[in-house]
Amino acid sequence: MEFTELVKTRRSAAKFIPDLSIPQEVLDDIFQLVKYTPSAFNLQHARYVVVTDPSVKDKVYEATGKQHKVKTASAAILVLGDTLAYQEAGQINEGLMHLGILSKQEYDLTIQSVTDFYLQRGETFMREEAIRNASLSAMSFMLIAKDKGWDTCPIIGFNPEQMRQALNVPDHLVPALLIAIGKEDTTSGRPRGYRKPVGEFVTTNSF
Ligand SMILES: Cc1cc2nc3c(=O)[nH]c(=O)nc-3n(C[C@H](O)[C@H](O)[C@H](O)COP(=O)(O)O)c2cc1C
């Protein structure tokens, strides 16, 4: 699909065609492209839990206050951000050092500066970074899914603690949003929500 058309035709699905499973290959193809989403210092803070097992999906459905679209979605995907992603700076940059693209000195300096950047700004910033980077990744996911013929709905209406328990989420991961994915049942044909004119959300140089 042409990119402008893709952006314009992506909608948050109101309801999905029930009992439709999403092939693992489709999910794999989507994630292979999601990898290219930008992230601060290339730390790749985003984590995904793909829920297809009906009994687990039922718990996710409960955690969303029984949003019908979660029940009928082919999968419910929790997108999380890693508040401790900066601790992986070493591992992420190791390859570049082994290839000789980064000298040992540049490598050490990179790790030091990334670590200092997060430690100096503290826990609130680490949490913001987790959610910011995971959210960008989630947007990539939804556009890529649409390009592959799958509809999505981002969902923030859930109880985070209940979700944490249902999916055994470790403490350092913070839920950014849930994505319901499937094929939309378009029979209701609802119109798109109002969009502000550009002049209402863009200013140039200053407010
Ligand atoms: C962060 C976020 C959270 C959302 N949470 C929900 C939700 O809990 N339930 C829901 O039905 N839709 C949810 N939506 C979908 C919005 O209602 C939808 O994006 C908006 O109305 C614009 O419609 P469109 O996506 O079709 O363009 C959410 C969207 C975003 C970006």
Side-chain angles (χ1 to χ4, degrees):
M1 197 186 290
E2 193 256 325
F3 189 69
T4 302
E5 190 194 347
L6 178 72
V7 171
K8 285 186 166 174
T9 54
R10 182 218 54 82
R11 299 284 306 274
S12 292
K15 53 179 177 171
F16 292 101
I17 298 167
D19 304 319
L20 190 81
S21 60
I22 181 163
Q24 186 57 46
E25 307 85 72
V26 170
L27 289 164
D28 292 344
D29 285 354
I30 294 172
F31 286 121
Q32 284 299 340
L33 292 176
V34 165
K35 287 203 297 201
Y36 296 103
T37 303
S39 60
F41 301 106
N42 193 29
L43 289 174
Q44 302 162 59
H45 314 59
R47 296 285 180 279
Y48 287 80
V49 187
V50 179
V51 180
T52 49
D53 181 297
S55 64
V56 187
K57 198 155 146 288
D58 227 44
K59 291 185 194 166
V60 171
Y61 166 67
E62 293 288 334
T64 63
K66 301 190 178 177
Q67 287 200 43
H68 183 64
K69 61 179 75 173
V70 176
K71 195 167 192 69
T72 54
S74 307
I77 302 178
L78 186 64
V79 191
L80 308 118
D82 188 351
T83 58
L84 302 179
Y86 69 93
Q87 294 180 358
E88 286 179 36
Q91 196 189 324
I92 284 168
N93 287 285
E94 229 165 36
L96 290 178
M97 182 175 64
H98 293 319
L99 288 169
I101 295 164
L102 282 182
S103 68
K104 173 77 170 89
Q105 196 186 15
E106 286 167 330
Y107 170 81
D108 288 342
L109 200 68
T110 302
I111 311 313
Q112 193 59 54
S113 59
V114 169
T115 307
D116 289 349
F117 193 90
Y118 281 86
L119 289 181
Q120 280 164 12
R121 284 161 179 78
E123 276 182 24
T124 303
F125 179 76
M126 290 173 196
R127 191 181 156 83
E128 285 171 356
E129 271 284 274
I131 295 172
R132 177 168 31 242
N133 286 280
S135 301
L136 281 173
S137 181
M139 188 69 243
S140 288
F141 180 97
M142 291 188 285
L143 288 173
I144 296 164
K146 180 71 186 171
D147 192 45
K148 296 191 178 296
W150 290 81
D151 300 301
T152 56
C153 184
I155 295 176
I156 197 54
F158 60 82
N159 178 322
E161 267 323 302
Q162 214 177 326
M163 193 66 86
R164 226 173 237 293
Q165 280 179 15
L167 304 181
N168 300 316
V169 175
D171 286 345
H172 65 286
L173 300 182
V174 46
L177 53 105
L178 183 75
I179 298 176
I181 185 168
K183 300 265 182 182
E184 187 173 14
D185 171 350
T186 52
T187 47
S188 61
R190 82 218 139 86
R192 194 193 256 296
Y194 165 77
R195 289 310 206 255
K196 293 177 186 174
V198 173
E200 278 187 27
F201 67 93
V202 181
T203 58
T204 305
N205 296 326
S206 172
F207 274 96

